[in-house]
């Protein structure tokens, strides 16, 4: 139990640290989209990525996320559309449309970064997701720092605990199983 509490505390601690610094790209990890609209969780991520872009942290926004079951648009297409409506130039946006998991999001982001000569990234996700995302970046050889969303749509204690328990599970699963 002490070990699990320690892992949970580490996940919370990492998620509270904003390490944003100048980089080549801002990777916004995908989340659910409802047809052409981002879910509230995804919208928080997109907004934070746009804020970092506008503050001059990186010249490129890289949106990840493929197609959900039966979806007309990929998560990354929804994010690009949102960013364009907010005045972000199309030339500053890269997307991939095939990933379905965090690992795949980052594998595809790495591929796009290599294709475009980008080396350093800021990863944007929810606070409780940040520890896993950064660990996967290290595993995949992506030079990255984290910038968790300043607010989360997981507002109730129940949803936060469920998400934290899920992340503790994935932490241990990823130690044993290396998929992709």
């Amino acid at each position: 139990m002490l070990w699990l509490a320690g892992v949970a505390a580490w996940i919370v601690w990492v998620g509270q640290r904003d390490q944003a610094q100048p980089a080549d790209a801002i990777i916004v990890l995908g989340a659910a989209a409802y047809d052409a609209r981002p879910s509230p969780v995804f919208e928080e991520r997109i907004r934070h990525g746009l804020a970092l872009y506008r503050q001059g942290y990186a010249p490129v926004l890289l949106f990840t996320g493929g197609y959900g079951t039966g979806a007309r648009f990929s998560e990354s297409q929804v994010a690009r559309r949102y960013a364009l409506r907010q005045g972000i130039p199309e030339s500053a946006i890269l997307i991939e449309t095939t990933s379905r998991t965090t690992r795949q999001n980052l594998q595809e982001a790495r591929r796009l970064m290599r294709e475009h000569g980008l080396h350093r990234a800021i990863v944007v996700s929810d606070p409780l997701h940040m520890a896993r995302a950064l660990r996967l970046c290290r595993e995949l050889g992506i030079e990255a720092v984290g910038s968790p969303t300043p607010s989360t749509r997981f507002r109730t204690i129940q949803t936060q605990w469920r998400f934290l328990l899920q992340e503790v599970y994935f932490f241990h699963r990823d130690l044993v199983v290396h998929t992709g």
Side-chain angles (χ1 to χ4, degrees):
M1 289 306 283
L2 196 57
W3 169 261
L4 293 177
V7 169
W10 176 73
I11 289 169
V12 170
W13 179 74
V14 170
Q16 293 174 344
R17 297 177 355 172
D18 189 338
Q19 299 177 305
Q21 57 185 270
D24 300 318
I26 299 161
I27 300 171
V28 178
L29 295 178
Y34 308 130
D35 194 42
R37 288 178 328 151
S39 65
V41 169
F42 196 23
E43 188 171 9
E44 291 289 322
R45 294 179 188 186
I46 296 166
R47 275 197 243 166
H48 187 55
L50 298 183
L52 292 169
Y53 172 83
R54 288 184 177 123
Q55 292 169 33
Y57 280 103
V60 173
L61 283 158
L62 197 161
F63 296 115
T64 67
Y67 291 88
T69 306
R72 289 190 310 150
F73 304 102
S74 70
E75 295 165 4
S76 59
Q77 289 171 325
V78 170
R80 176 178 55 194
R81 180 175 179 245
Y82 187 102
L84 291 171
R85 288 183 170 187
Q86 297 296 313
I88 303 299
E90 191 165 357
S91 61
I93 300 171
L94 296 175
I95 68 167
E96 63 79 22
T97 60
T98 61
S99 65
R100 298 292 301 264
T101 66
T102 302
R103 179 181 295 276
Q104 292 170 0
N105 286 168
L106 292 167
Q107 287 171 327
E108 290 300 311
R110 177 183 63 187
R111 179 185 59 77
L112 282 172
M113 287 178 68
R114 287 178 177 167
E115 284 177 12
H116 293 271
L118 307 171
H119 305 287
R120 293 180 37 86
I122 300 168
V123 176
V124 172
S125 193
D126 297 273
L128 294 177
H129 189 230
M130 193 55 64
R132 180 161 52 113
L134 291 175
R135 192 177 77 240
L136 286 168
C137 282
R138 284 190 299 276
E139 188 180 306
L140 294 169
I142 299 170
E143 185 181 341
V145 295
S147 184
T149 57
S151 61
T152 180
R153 296 302 295 194
F154 298 105
R155 291 195 174 127
T156 68
I157 296 296
Q158 183 181 6
T159 57
Q160 288 178 359
W161 269 105
R162 193 176 315 131
F163 194 47
L164 178 59
L165 290 174
Q166 174 185 306
E167 289 302 313
V168 169
Y169 164 77
F170 282 129
F171 173 88
H172 291 91
R173 184 207 62 186
D174 290 349
L175 291 176
V176 178
V177 180
H178 294 283
T179 56

